[in-house]
């Protein structure tokens, strides 16, 4: 919700991640370019930036009005659909979805829907990682989401400072990545 993130930590985290990816212009001397897509899942999930060069995604990671609804499951589903489009294969073991959120699903099918979408990713060999923003009410995360994320091979993190993400910079070169904000 917009009131939970007045400093735009989620967008800052997404920009930090995007900047850490290898763009096509940086893919020299044996480096492999990463790919990224941006999916928004407040209210009705939508692809803001189709799978492509991380450098092009930057303009989609600026402040915009956030809605007071969270449908991470729908965002994960849209991300999977984008990642498995013809021409984007293979996805198993080289593809990740990174979710930056401030709350549990209160739209769509709720937490149960998100759990089924995370499992869909797992079956396809796509890792799902969560960056869960701690709001003024403290940690509101659901342990079932954490367990499902870890079963995909992803990571589950509580975000209260975006500088923590810089430690993950360029960790997995040559991987297709997707950021979900």
């Amino acid at each position: 919700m917009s009131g939970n993130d007045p400093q735009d930590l989620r967008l800052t985290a997404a920009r930090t991640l995007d900047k850490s990816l290898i763009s096509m212009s940086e893919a020299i001397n044996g480096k492999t370019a990463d790919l990224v897509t941006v999916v928004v899942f407040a209210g009705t999930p939508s692809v803001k930036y189709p799978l492509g060069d991380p450098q092009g995604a930057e303009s989609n990671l600026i402040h915009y009005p956030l809605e007071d609804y969270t449908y991470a499951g729908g965002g994960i589903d849209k991300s999977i659909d984008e990642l498995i489009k013809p021409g984007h294969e293979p996805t198993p073991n080289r593809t990740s979805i990174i979710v930056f959120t401030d709350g549990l699903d209160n739209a769509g099918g709720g937490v149960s829907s998100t759990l089924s979408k995370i499992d869909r990713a797992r079956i396809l060999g796509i890792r799902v990682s969560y960056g869960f923003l701690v709001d003024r009410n403290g940690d509101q995360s659901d342990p079932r989401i954490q367990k499902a994320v870890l079963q995909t091979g992803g990571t589950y993190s509580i975000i209260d400072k975006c500088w923590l993400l810089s430690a993950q910079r360029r960790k997995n070169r040559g991987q297709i990545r997707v950021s979900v904000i």
Side-chain angles (χ1 to χ4, degrees):
M1 291 183 231
S2 55
N4 291 343
D5 192 7
Q7 297 173 325
D8 281 341
L9 289 177
R10 288 170 289 174
L11 291 172
T12 301
R15 278 192 302 274
T16 300
L17 174 65
D18 184 62
K19 287 179 183 176
S20 75
L21 298 175
I22 298 171
S23 69
M24 290 182 189
S25 65
E26 296 172 313
I28 56 173
N29 299 326
K31 292 181 181 177
T32 303
D34 293 314
L35 299 171
V36 68
T37 184
V38 178
V39 177
V40 176
F41 57 86
T44 303
S46 63
V47 175
K48 285 191 63 143
Y49 181 75
L51 192 63
D53 188 1
Q55 197 167 21
E58 194 171 323
S59 64
N60 290 283
L61 297 171
I62 58 173
H63 180 76
Y64 56 90
L66 297 172
E67 297 178 39
D68 287 334
Y69 297 99
T70 300
Y71 186 22
I76 291 168
D77 211 32
K78 285 275 188 197
S79 297
I80 293 169
D81 291 345
E82 184 67 20
L83 289 168
I84 64 172
K85 282 183 178 175
H88 295 173
E89 58 274 311
T91 56
N93 304 315
R94 58 178 277 170
T95 307
S96 296
I97 296 172
I98 296 118
V99 179
F100 296 110
T101 186
D102 70 335
L104 297 173
D105 285 348
N106 57 10
V111 172
S112 63
S113 174
T114 298
L115 291 170
S116 72
K117 305 310 181 190
I118 293 171
D119 194 52
R120 177 181 177 217
R122 181 192 59 76
I123 290 166
L124 292 168
I126 300 171
R127 289 180 303 277
V128 177
S129 293
Y130 251 68
F132 196 91
L133 178 68
V134 175
D135 68 12
R136 62 183 170 267
N137 299 315
D139 181 3
Q140 304 289 315
S141 60
D142 187 308
R144 296 173 296 170
I145 298 285
Q146 181 178 2
K147 181 180 178 184
V149 162
L150 296 176
Q151 288 174 340
T152 72
T155 60
Y156 189 92
S157 303
I158 302 298
I159 297 175
D160 61 358
K161 296 191 182 340
C162 287
W163 61 266
L164 296 173
L165 290 173
S166 64
Q168 300 287 330
R169 295 181 72 166
R170 298 182 188 232
K171 181 179 173 187
N172 297 314
R173 301 230 189 304
Q175 303 253 326
I176 297 174
R177 311 234 180 135
V178 59
S179 60
V180 181
I181 60 172

